[in-house]
Amino acid sequence: IRIYQTQEGEKSLYPDEMAYRYINLANNKLKKENPDYIEINDLAREAYDLSNPIDTAMLVNCLWVEGYSLFKMKEIRSAEQKFLELEVLMDNWGVSTNLDRYSHLCEFLSQIYLSYGDYEKALIYEKKKGECNQNIYNTDKFKAIKELQTKYETEKKEQQIRNQKKINIFIASIALLLALTSFFIINWQIANRK
């Protein structure tokens, strides 16, 4: 499939630009009601072949789409191979960058091993999925707590500013009152001396 070939006179695209277009097309086709998984898999494979080997996010995306489409086509052994390759890549990359994707990966690997009757491996991946989901929950909870803490601290600072303005107005009023009182006293003393 070569859909992004340039026409005569057009600027040619770099391979990684073409790869992004292929994988975006594959992802968009996945959203269709009845996706053609063979075509989607071909697009993902083409994107993988064109992608920069150090573009980990692209490689993760390509392997995910390939594994998912193979799984949906019931090519379980091939899907397992892609998902295991993806797991290694994500473990090296750092799972925390995409916990949701890793959780889904573990879910698919668990289903694959269940279909093989390998309940031990299925359980291992279910546990990993549970840990990921717990981390997602904890991360979301941490973000919510941080947001509340920031909101509280902001409101506290705003209240301090309002209080400081009131104090400044009070001090300025006292100073003005003292100045006026001093003015009248001095004027009264000057008037009494004459």
Side-chain angles (χ1 to χ4, degrees):
I1 300 174
R2 290 278 180 195
I3 37 182
Y4 289 109
Q5 298 298 323
T6 55
Q7 301 297 320
E8 213 171 294
E10 287 183 3
K11 178 186 160 213
S12 62
L13 297 172
Y14 292 107
D16 56 332
E17 292 174 317
M18 289 173 53
Y20 272 97
R21 291 184 181 191
Y22 278 118
I23 202 62
N24 285 338
L25 183 59
N27 280 318
N28 286 335
K29 287 183 177 280
L30 276 175
K31 296 173 187 173
K32 283 185 162 183
E33 193 170 316
N34 293 313
D36 180 357
Y37 291 112
I38 294 171
E39 180 185 15
I40 292 167
N41 190 53
D42 290 343
L43 289 167
R45 191 175 309 116
E46 187 69 31
Y48 187 87
D49 292 342
L50 290 169
S51 64
N52 187 332
I54 61 170
D55 187 351
T56 308
M58 173 59 111
L59 297 175
V60 163
N61 205 3
C62 291
L63 287 170
W64 172 258
V65 172
E66 274 191 84
Y68 181 79
S69 59
L70 289 165
F71 184 85
K72 289 296 190 176
M73 292 186 297
K74 309 257 187 274
E75 293 183 26
I76 303 301
R77 295 269 180 218
S78 297
E80 175 192 13
Q81 179 186 356
K82 292 297 174 187
F83 284 142
L84 288 174
E85 191 178 341
L86 175 58
E87 180 185 25
V88 168
L89 184 62
M90 289 186 81
D91 284 342
N92 291 335
W93 187 29
V95 173
S96 62
T97 56
N98 198 337
L99 287 171
D100 191 49
R101 170 87 22 116
Y102 197 79
S103 173
H104 283 90
L105 169 66
C106 291
E107 180 181 352
F108 279 111
L109 284 169
S110 176
Q111 288 177 24
I112 287 170
Y113 289 121
L114 272 176
S115 73
Y116 294 164
D118 190 342
Y119 302 113
E120 187 177 339
K121 281 188 180 177
L123 180 61
I124 289 169
Y125 283 104
E126 275 301 313
K127 285 181 179 178
K128 282 185 177 184
K129 180 181 111 179
E131 289 170 8
C132 263
N133 289 340
Q134 186 63 40
N135 286 339
I136 291 169
Y137 172 76
N138 290 343
T139 301
D140 290 345
K141 193 170 146 184
F142 178 76
K143 285 179 185 174
I145 289 169
K146 270 301 211 196
E147 286 174 14
L148 286 173
Q149 186 177 14
T150 302
K151 186 177 178 181
Y152 169 76
E153 288 173 2
T154 303
E155 287 177 11
K156 189 175 172 183
K157 284 282 187 198
E158 288 173 354
Q159 184 64 39
Q160 286 176 341
I161 290 169
R162 285 191 294 272
N163 289 342
Q164 189 62 45
K165 284 181 181 178
K166 288 178 185 176
I167 290 169
N168 290 345
I169 291 171
F170 178 73
I171 290 172
S173 299
I174 297 274
L176 182 62
L177 184 61
L178 286 172
L180 286 174
T181 304
S182 297
F183 175 76
F184 286 121
I185 290 174
I186 291 171
N187 281 340
W188 179 73
Q189 287 178 342
I190 292 173
N192 282 341
R193 282 190 199 162
K194 290 184 184 180

